[in-house]
Amino acid sequence: MKILHKFILISICSTILVSNSVFSQNKKDTMRYNESVIVLGDYEPILSDAFKINRNPTLFDTVPRLLKFDYNILSKRYPTSFIPDAIKPAKIMGEPISRLYKNYAKIGLGTYLTPLAEFYYNSVRSRNTLYGMYFNHFSSWQSLQDYANSSFSNTDLNIFGKYFWQESALSGEVFYANNYYHYYGFKEENISPVLGKEDINSDTYSQFYNRFGIKALYQSLYANDNKLHHSIGINLSDVIGRYKSNELNFQLNFDANKKFELFNKQKQTLGLNVIWDLDRTKINPSEHPATTDLYSSYLNGNDTIKTLSALTFYPYFRFMLYDFNFDVGFNASFAFTDETNIYLYPYAKASLNLMDKQLTLYGGISGKLRKNTLETLRMQNSYILDNVEIGYTNNKLNIFAGIKSSPVKQLDVQLEVMYSRLNNAPMFILDTFFVLQNVYKAIYDDVNLLKIGAQLSYSLHEKLNLGLGGNFYSANPEHQTEYWYNPSFDLNMGIKYLIADKITVDLTTKFVSKIPGFQYLDGIFTKETLKGRIDLNLAVNYHYSKSLTFFWLLNNIANQRYYEWTNYPTQKFNTMLGLTYSFR
């Protein structure tokens, strides 16, 4: 850089010197020469024409101009192929599949010579088949003190199966049940004054029923909501009593429903349910071989056959609107007995979920035609005879409302209020024809019934389970003074506690209020109120292993003799020891 600066300085100085030298030379020349101009003639000054520079300014544009051109794309696809690499299936790391046992057996023996036997058989996991069987026997062969022979026996056998296709399933069931018991509602010391005999054979007041039948159900299992879902079921059963009574029941049930998007951008369900129910009851009083002394004059006569047949149509529509779930429709029943009657009932139910589904409000209105047959009535009261009067109960109106709540995960609470108007509702009273007062008959009356129920369940880490439920009843019969043999209040409580994963203690309590009943003395009916009762039961289970458990049952710990029906006391304190075993 220093060399460059020196060069520039020398150049500037040289230029200045040359310029001075030229100037000095021109000045000397001027002073040396003197030129003169002599003009001859007149002087005429001439001014030449002016001209302007015809040069226009130009602007240089730095923005390049785009050239216009046309082009075309050849629509020709080059053939290519893509073959993805195979991916190995992912392995799910979790708990192993639990082991299933095909067989389960339970046996026990208790006081009052009470044996218990129970057995299950089920198929294990399968894609398209399920089958099994169930057997149960429970009996007691020791009579109550001071009363007639009170032994009883109940046996059930059930064989079932189910087969699955891709979009449908077929299930079936074959069953048999035997119920054997005695009309023991009298004291043996009263037989002699009444009948003039010192003793009487227990077969005279025994009864048994055999019930067997089949069930079949075919149903669709479509995953697509747009298809028509449907099912059809058939039930056939026959009940045969000891005294040649016979009741045949046939029921056909059909249901079809389909989902549509009609409004609110949600799918609604439109369906139809059709039920045909037929009962044919035959009574043959002349076939009572062991009741010559007690019932022959009452039961002798011709066979009586009565048929109950009803055809019910139930169209329904289910939809959701503004967070409300609705289920609406109506029930049209055609009853064929001695004459044809048509019953029409409304049906509507609405529910609303609040507080992130922790609180549910629901309510509705409905009605139904209910049948009263030998089978349904003997399930309510075993101490009726075959010649019970059968018919229909018209549940004209049923209004209900309730609340379901789960304030915390472990707690569930439900409260419900229901009002029903029943025409021809059954009740039971002692049959005055039988002097031993050990046989009941059915009577019918119109009843307005109010029911208030509440339930509570609590679970804590699978260690503690608590259940509490109660119902309050208020009945107003039209002709009878009381709603006979129906309590005004009942309460159920259960506590189940697991100790050290080995011992389970299950305590159940049932309290029933006073029950209005009848007593027939000296040809006069008098009201007899059955005392309220507390039934306290305890079950202790020792889980020796996953497959073997020992149990100890203690029933009626309070050792009370209470009555469910007039003249029919229950067993006092009784206990049972047994075990359960699961195996393949």
Side-chain angles (χ1 to χ4, degrees):
M1 293 298 293
K2 292 181 179 181
I3 296 174
L4 179 61
H5 291 168
K6 290 181 179 180
F7 178 76
I8 294 173
L9 182 59
I10 294 173
S11 300
I12 294 174
C13 294
S14 299
T15 304
I16 296 174
L17 292 176
V18 173
S19 300
N20 291 333
S21 175
V22 173
F23 175 77
S24 299
Q25 184 179 358
N26 291 338
K27 184 178 180 180
K28 291 179 179 181
D29 292 341
T30 304
M31 295 177 63
R32 184 181 297 179
Y33 299 100
N34 187 8
E35 294 180 358
S36 60
V37 178
I38 300 174
V39 179
L40 297 179
D42 295 333
Y43 175 69
E44 294 181 359
I46 298 173
L47 182 64
S48 60
D49 294 334
F51 66 93
K52 69 177 182 178
I53 300 174
N54 189 15
R55 183 180 298 175
N56 294 326
T58 60
L59 178 65
F60 180 71
D61 191 359
T62 60
V63 179
R65 295 181 180 179
L66 298 178
L67 300 179
K68 294 183 179 180
F69 62 93
D70 296 330
Y71 63 93
N72 295 321
I73 298 177
L74 297 178
S75 299
K76 185 176 182 180
R77 180 179 297 176
Y78 185 79
T80 59
S81 61
F82 173 72
I83 302 177
D85 295 334
I87 301 176
K88 294 182 179 180
K91 294 182 179 180
I92 300 177
M93 302 300 294
E95 296 183 359
I97 299 177
S98 59
R99 183 181 181 182
L100 297 181
Y101 295 93
K102 291 183 179 180
N103 305 283
Y104 171 85
K106 181 178 182 179
I107 58 174
L109 181 63
T111 54
Y112 293 95
L113 295 179
T114 304
L116 169 67
E118 193 171 2
F119 178 75
Y120 289 90
Y121 171 80
N122 288 279
S123 60
V124 292
R125 295 182 179 92
S126 175
R127 289 183 177 271
N128 51 17
T129 57
L130 172 67
Y131 55 89
M133 63 89 64
Y134 168 72
F135 171 80
N136 178 67
H137 174 82
F138 179 71
S139 60
S140 180
W141 301 101
Q142 183 177 343
S143 299
L144 301 177
Q145 186 178 2
D146 300 329
Y147 276 82
N149 188 350
S150 60
S151 60
F152 66 89
S153 173
N154 296 316
T155 304
D156 296 279
L157 176 63
N158 191 312
I159 302 174
F160 57 89
K162 193 170 187 178
Y163 189 85
F164 297 90
W165 289 278
Q166 186 174 0
E167 293 185 331
S168 60
L170 176 65
S171 59
E173 180 181 337
V174 179
F175 59 88
Y176 168 77
N178 173 267
N179 305 112
Y180 169 79
Y181 56 93
H182 292 84
Y183 297 99
Y184 69 93
F186 61 94
K187 296 184 178 181
E188 292 185 343
E189 61 186 20
N190 297 332
I191 294 177
S192 180
V194 173
L195 302 176
K197 292 185 177 181
E198 295 182 357
D199 56 5
I200 188 171
N201 193 321
S202 63
D203 287 340
T204 306
Y205 52 91
S206 67
Q207 176 68 282
F208 67 79
Y209 290 97
N210 291 310
R211 181 174 182 263
F212 57 90
I214 59 174
K215 296 181 181 180
L217 175 64
Y218 175 82
Q219 61 184 129
S220 62
L221 300 175
Y222 298 130
N224 189 353
D225 290 339
N226 296 324
K227 291 188 176 182
L228 181 64
H229 296 253
H230 56 277
S231 66
I232 182 169
I234 298 175
N235 298 337
L236 177 64
S237 65
D238 193 17
V239 178
I240 301 176
R242 174 186 176 184
Y243 304 117
K244 304 302 181 181
S245 59
N246 183 286
E247 185 171 82
L248 180 67
N249 171 258
F250 175 79
Q251 186 181 89
L252 178 65
N253 193 322
F254 173 77
D255 184 86
N257 63 83
K258 194 177 189 308
K259 291 188 176 182
F260 302 89
E261 189 174 330
L262 302 177
F263 56 87
N264 204 25
K265 295 182 180 181
Q266 292 182 352
K267 289 190 175 182
Q268 296 81 36
T269 301
L270 182 63
L272 174 65
N273 183 238
V274 181
I275 301 175
W276 178 39
D277 200 304
L278 174 65
D279 288 272
R280 181 181 181 274
T281 305
K282 176 184 177 182
I283 305 298
N284 190 344
S286 62
E287 294 293 334
H288 284 233
T291 57
T292 304
D293 298 314
L294 290 179
Y295 311 129
S296 58
S297 60
Y298 175 67
L299 295 172
N300 283 339
N302 298 325
D303 294 351
T304 58
I305 299 177
K306 189 169 184 178
T307 302
L308 298 180
S309 178
L311 182 62
T312 302
F313 295 91
Y314 171 43
Y316 56 89
F317 183 49
R318 297 167 183 163
F319 61 95
M320 184 175 181
L321 184 64
Y322 300 115
D323 296 330
F324 284 89
N325 290 306
F326 292 95
D327 188 355
V328 298
F330 64 90
N331 187 335
S333 296
F334 300 83
F336 308 99
T337 52
D338 298 334
E339 58 183 10
T340 301
N341 296 307
I342 302 176
Y343 302 90
L344 187 63
Y345 307 96
Y347 178 80
K349 181 179 179 180
S351 62
L352 174 63
N353 293 323
L354 301 172
M355 300 173 58
D356 195 20
K357 296 184 178 181
Q358 293 183 358
L359 177 64
T360 301
L361 307 178
Y362 66 92
I365 183 174
S366 65
K368 187 178 181 180
L369 188 66
R370 300 186 306 185
K371 65 180 182 179
N372 302 302
T373 63
L374 174 61
E375 177 65 14
T376 61
L377 293 174
R378 77 179 185 91
M379 290 292 103
Q380 301 177 50
N381 186 345
S382 300
Y383 309 111
I384 60 174
L385 281 183
D386 300 351
N387 63 331
V388 65
E389 183 180 354
I390 64 176
Y392 285 106
T393 294
N394 180 12
N395 188 354
K396 298 176 61 175
L397 182 64
N398 194 35
I399 303 175
F400 59 94
I403 300 174
K404 294 181 180 179
S405 178
S406 298
V408 293
K409 184 179 180 181
Q410 298 84 4
L411 181 63
D412 294 317
V413 181
Q414 181 176 359
L415 176 65
E416 183 176 273
V417 180
M418 181 182 298
Y419 172 76
S420 301
R421 294 181 62 184
L422 306 173
N423 282 5
N424 207 38
M427 289 180 282
F428 301 96
I429 63 172
L430 286 170
D431 194 334
T432 58
F433 184 86
F434 299 94
V435 293
L436 293 178
Q437 302 182 34
N438 63 331
V439 176
Y440 283 81
K441 67 177 181 180
I443 60 173
Y444 295 88
D445 198 358
D446 298 338
V447 180
N448 294 328
L449 178 63
L450 174 65
K451 177 184 175 182
I452 302 176
Q455 293 182 353
L456 180 148
S457 62
Y458 178 77
S459 177
L460 180 62
H461 306 300
E462 298 182 356
K463 297 286 186 180
L464 175 65
N465 291 279
L466 172 64
L468 181 64
N471 298 286
F472 169 78
Y473 308 91
S474 178
N476 182 22
E478 183 175 347
H479 300 97
Q480 299 293 321
T481 58
E482 298 283 351
Y483 195 31
W484 304 113
Y485 295 101
N486 286 278
S488 60
F489 179 78
D490 61 58
L491 177 66
N492 297 275
M493 183 180 68
I495 301 175
K496 187 175 182 179
Y497 185 67
L498 179 62
I499 304 174
D501 297 330
K502 283 292 185 180
I503 301 176
T504 303
V505 179
D506 193 352
L507 177 66
T508 59
T509 304
K510 183 176 183 179
F511 171 76
V512 179
S513 66
K514 296 179 180 180
I515 299 177
F518 269 118
Q519 187 62 272
Y520 187 67
L521 297 174
D522 299 328
I524 301 176
F525 263 123
T526 59
K527 178 181 177 181
E528 181 182 66
T529 301
L530 305 183
K531 295 181 180 180
R533 64 181 187 267
I534 297 178
D535 191 5
L536 184 63
N537 308 299
L538 179 66
V540 180
N541 297 278
Y542 174 65
H543 305 280
Y544 179 79
S545 64
K546 290 185 178 181
S547 58
L548 179 60
T549 300
F550 298 94
F551 66 86
W552 182 24
L553 305 180
L554 299 95
N555 301 319
N556 195 3
I557 298 177
N559 197 30
Q560 287 188 337
R561 169 166 284 185
Y562 54 80
Y563 295 78
E564 295 181 352
W565 304 97
T566 299
N567 298 332
Y568 281 94
T570 61
Q571 294 177 348
K572 292 186 178 181
F573 171 77
N574 60 89
T575 183
M576 175 180 290
L577 292 172
L579 60 88
T580 65
Y581 182 63
S582 302
F583 56 98
R584 296 187 64 85

